[in-house]
Amino acid sequence: SSELTQPPSVSVSPGQTARITCSGDALAKQYVHWYQQKPGQAPVMIIYKDTERPSWIPGRFSASSSGTTVTLTVTGVQAEDEADYYCQSAGPNNAVFGGGTKLTVL
Amino acid sequence: QVLLQESGPGLVKPSQPLSLSCSVSGGFIGGLDYYWSWIRQSPGKGLEWIGYVYYTGSAYYNPSLESRVTISVDASKRHFSLELTSVTAADTAIYYCARAHVGDFTGFYFDFWGRGTLLTVAS
């Protein structure tokens, strides 16, 4: 794995759409997974294998992939979505996280 | 539902070794599709993967920590452990244990996490 780059912050108003990108050369060959972390809590996986969403994660969370950039989209942002979001990728025997993006709901 | 619970000393003196344990319930630690992992988060910072161990005992580590880290597993006792030697203040962090899911794809993702345990390095 190599470095993953995320924007430090994204701000949107309630009901709008938030997009958080994750970029890295390794993403052309490796899957990206996304985690949500609220203050004082452990991270929670919200997207795996680029675009797959666990059944218990709300449908407003989705992701898309294009080349070396993956985008997490939150459609119809709610106040409860305010959190830090981390992308992660892994090779056979190592893993790397992006620096994290703080999503602020205005 | 897989539950992971970290335990550790809370406070370690500089240059001393630290040892953390993670107990696993609700899941089979010997499963073929899982690695058992440690991840840490320094105060106010991002996530850093430390390493993982397979149920066979095979382990892989973050190259930046490899010289100081050992992760081991005791499947019969349903727990795995982290040892980190020669700690400094830079090792102060919340340490999470997590299950890494592998499968018919390259790489892995962390599908279940413990709540984390804060480890402070101070004299």
Side-chain angles (χ1 to χ4, degrees), chain B residues 22-38:
Chain B
C22 180
S23 64
V24 180
S25 60
F28 182 41
I29 203 168
L32 299 179
D33 291 339
Y34 307 115
Y35 300 150
W36 302 94
S37 305
W38 288 95

Side-chain angles (χ1 to χ4, degrees), chain A residues 29-31 33 35 37 41-45 48-49 56 86 88-99, chain B residues 35 39 41 45-49 52 60-63 96 104-116:
Chain A
K29 299 180 180 179
Q30 296 176 352
Y31 283 115
H33 322 287
Y35 305 86
Q37 186 180 33
Q41 298 183 18
V44 173
M45 185 189 69
Y48 64 101
K49 292 175 65 178
W56 56 88
Y86 294 90
Q88 174 252 321
S89 188
N93 297 313
N94 56 58
V96 64
F97 289 92
Chain B
Y35 300 150
I39 296 155
Q41 185 171 35
K45 301 296 185 181
L47 301 167
E48 180 181 31
W49 174 73
Y52 72 71
Y60 290 90
Y61 307 118
N62 187 323
Y96 296 100
D104 59 349
F105 62 97
T106 299
F108 46 91
Y109 55 88
F110 305 101
D111 56 358
F112 291 100
W113 297 63
R115 299 178 68 174

Side-chain angles (χ1 to χ4, degrees), chain B:
Chain B
Q1 181 77 352
V2 178
L3 296 176
L4 300 100
Q5 178 66 58
E6 304 90 348
S7 59
L11 178 66
V12 177
K13 296 182 185 303
S15 79
Q16 297 296 307
L18 79 83
S19 181
L20 300 175
S21 182
C22 180
S23 64
V24 180
S25 60
F28 182 41
I29 203 168
L32 299 179
D33 291 339
Y34 307 115
Y35 300 150
W36 302 94
S37 305
W38 288 95
I39 296 155
R40 71 181 183 179
Q41 185 171 35
S42 300
K45 301 296 185 181
L47 301 167
E48 180 181 31
W49 174 73
I50 298 171
Y52 72 71
V53 64
Y54 196 43
Y55 78 97
T56 58
S58 296
Y60 290 90
Y61 307 118
N62 187 323
S64 68
L65 298 168
E66 189 168 13
S67 63
R68 298 194 294 130
V69 173
T70 302
I71 300 177
S72 58
V73 63
D74 187 333
S76 63
K77 295 185 178 179
R78 304 177 68 83
H79 79 258
F80 60 105
S81 302
L82 167 71
E83 295 188 358
L84 184 65
T85 60
S86 305
V87 300
T88 69
D91 294 309
T92 293
I94 297 173
Y95 286 76
Y96 296 100
C97 60
R99 189 181 80 169
H101 189 113
V102 300
D104 59 349
F105 62 97
T106 299
F108 46 91
Y109 55 88
F110 305 101
D111 56 358
F112 291 100
W113 297 63
R115 299 178 68 174
T117 185
L118 175 62
L119 182 90
T120 302
V121 179
S123 54

Side-chain angles (χ1 to χ4, degrees), chain A residues 72-97:
Chain A
L72 172 70
T73 300
V74 187
T75 303
V77 167
Q78 301 182 7
E80 66 195 51
D81 299 330
E82 185 162 288
D84 294 325
Y85 292 83
Y86 294 90
C87 61
Q88 174 252 321
S89 188
N93 297 313
N94 56 58
V96 64
F97 289 92

